[in-house]
Structures are given as structure tokens and as C-alpha cells.
């Protein structure tokens, strides 16, 4: 925990589903408690959960998503629903839920098709989402050098990361985005966290 984002105090170690977990994401549930999603590498890189009433005491909750392997799950509230985006190394899989218990996967991954930008000509990976008012912006990274005949070589260009951003679009229960369209952001101050869906 930290009071200033610079100096940190180690509070505890969590007892999760295995000793090989990565990519944690925490979101508040409708009842005011908290849920963590994380990647359990031992179970085919499935997404598991843990719950907490106070962010200090955690109870393991089992598997949340296991239809495919993935990393970097990000859960957020937008358009009156919960959404989860997961890096499947073939773009980002998108799931939606009304209650954070039952998840439905969209048919198409987003950011699967490479973009036209200089550093955006490969599939998008590991996301984060910032909701600002009624708009949502997805930040993702690319490895620009992972294309062409030298895509699989271990060198600077295939490891170099570039951060990109695209505005999400919502229609008929489906999230899409156009990574080749210019994205303009003016983030609004967040509303006080009520723990309820808006």
C-alpha cells in the first residue's frame, strides 16, 4: 500500500491457485467488495479470481475464464456492463457480463488485424482501459519488429515495445475499435467510486 504512489509498504502475500500467477487486475463488485482476476500459468494460462471485502484479506475463488489461454486480463465497467479484454496472442478477446460471474465471449477479437501506423503494423497485445465519462480508451502495446521474415528472431526490434491507444466503440452489445482512426483524448476527473455500475 502507498499514500503517495512512491513509497510502498508490503502488507501480505496472497495464497492463490498456484505459485505461478501473473497479470493481476482488481475491480470493485456491485456489493462493494473487490475481485481480482489473474493468470494461472499452471492451468493453461486460464483466468482465475480471488475476492476481498477490504483489499487486505483475500479468498481464492477458482477459475473465471478457461475457454482459451491468455494473459493480461483487464476488467472494467462501461455501458452498464462489465467487460473483460484478454490478450490471446491473436488480438484481444472480449467478454461481457452483467454480474462478474457468467461471461460471454464476443465472436471476433479486436486488434487482430494489424494497423497502418508506423509502430502499429502487428497485432495488439496486453491491454488497459480508461473509462472517461461515456467514452472508453484502450491502451495496448505492439512489438513493431515482429513482422516480415525476421519476425521470430530475438533482437532489439522484436523486443521493442510501442504503446498505442484507440477509442472503443459500442453497438448492439458488441465492442469494436478502429485503430487507424485518429484518437483524441481529454480525460475527465473520475467520479467518486460508489462501487456500483453506472
Amino acid at each position: 500500500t502507498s499514500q503517495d504512489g512512491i513509497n510502498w509498504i508490503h502488507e501480505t502475500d496472497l495464497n492463490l491457485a498456484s505459485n505461478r500467477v501473473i497479470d493481476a487486475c482488481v475491480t470493485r463488485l456491485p456489493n462493494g467488495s473487490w475481485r481480482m482476476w489473474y493468470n494461472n500459468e499452471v492451468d493453461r494460462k486460464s483466468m482465475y479470481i480471488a475476492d476481498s471485502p477490504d483489499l487486505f484479506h483475500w479468498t481464492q475463488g477458482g477459475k473465471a475464464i478457461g475457454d482459451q489461454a491468455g494473459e493480461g486480463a483487464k476488467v472494467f465497467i462501461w455501458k452498464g456492463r462489465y467487460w473483460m479484454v484478454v490478450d490471446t496472442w491473436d488480438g484481444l478477446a472480449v467478454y461481457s457480463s452483467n454480474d462478474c460471474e457468467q461471461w460471454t465471449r464476443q465472436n471476433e477479437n479486436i486488434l487482430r488485424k494489424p494497423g497502418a501506423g508506423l509502430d502499429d503494423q502487428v497485432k495488439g497485445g496486453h491491454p488497459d482501459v480508461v473509462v472517461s465519462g461515456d467514452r472508453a480508451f484502450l491502451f495496448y502495446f505492439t512489438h513493431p519488429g515482429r513482422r516480415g521474415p525476421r519476425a521470430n528472431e530475438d533482437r532489439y526490434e522484436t523486443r521493442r515495445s510501442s504503446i498505442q491507444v484507440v477509442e472503443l466503440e459500442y453497438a448492439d452489445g458488441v465492442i469494436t475499435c478502429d485503430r487507424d482512426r485518429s484518437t483524441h483524448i481529454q480525460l475527465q476527473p473520475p467520479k467518486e467510486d460508489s462501487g456500483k455500475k453506472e
Side-chain angles (χ1 to χ4, degrees):
T1 59
S2 175
Q3 297 296 319
D4 56 14
I6 298 173
N7 301 289
W8 293 85
I9 299 171
H10 174 261
E11 297 287 352
T12 187
D13 294 321
L14 276 61
N15 181 23
L16 300 176
S18 78
N19 63 352
R20 293 185 57 203
V21 300
I22 60 172
D23 299 342
C25 166
V26 176
T27 300
R28 201 163 198 185
L29 299 179
N31 65 5
S33 67
W34 301 88
R35 176 161 293 173
M36 175 192 299
W37 286 263
Y38 62 92
N39 176 339
N40 182 1
E41 295 194 311
V42 173
D43 184 11
R44 226 176 45 87
K45 299 183 80 64
S46 297
M47 300 304 146
Y48 275 61
I49 61 172
D51 289 320
S52 173
D54 56 10
L55 295 175
F56 289 91
H57 305 91
W58 292 87
T59 303
Q60 189 183 142
K63 187 186 298 188
I65 299 290
D67 62 317
Q68 62 181 340
E71 290 183 343
K74 173 65 181 184
V75 176
F76 60 100
I77 302 168
W78 190 48
K79 301 297 183 183
R81 306 196 74 188
Y82 290 93
W83 300 90
M84 181 191 303
V85 286
V86 180
D87 184 355
T88 62
W89 312 286
D90 189 27
L92 306 179
V94 180
Y95 301 82
S96 62
S97 174
N98 288 319
D99 58 8
C100 280
E101 300 293 340
Q102 302 297 319
W103 293 90
T104 301
R105 184 181 171 189
Q106 283 187 191
N107 290 330
E108 299 293 329
N109 287 2
I110 59 175
L111 301 184
R112 184 179 189 186
K113 180 181 176 183
L118 181 63
D119 276 1
D120 201 28
Q121 298 174 32
V122 294
K123 296 174 182 178
H126 277 234
D128 198 357
V129 175
V130 175
V131 176
S132 179
D134 61 354
R135 302 172 72 189
F137 300 94
L138 185 141
F139 294 81
Y140 61 98
F141 81 79
T142 64
H143 291 304
R146 292 189 183 177
R147 57 191 177 96
R150 303 184 66 189
N152 296 321
E153 294 181 8
D154 187 7
R155 57 195 177 93
Y156 170 79
E157 268 304 311
T158 56
R159 289 185 174 268
R160 181 175 71 88
S161 296
S162 176
I163 305 300
Q164 308 287 324
V165 63
V166 64
E167 184 168 359
L168 295 178
E169 300 172 31
Y170 173 86
D172 300 323
V174 175
I175 283 181
T176 59
C177 59
D178 181 355
R179 66 197 295 180
D180 290 333
R181 191 175 68 194
S182 294
T183 299
H184 303 276
I185 301 176
Q186 184 174 359
L187 298 178
Q188 299 176 10
K191 297 178 182 176
E192 186 173 331
D193 186 3
S194 64
K196 303 294 184 182
K197 290 193 294 182
E198 298 178 357

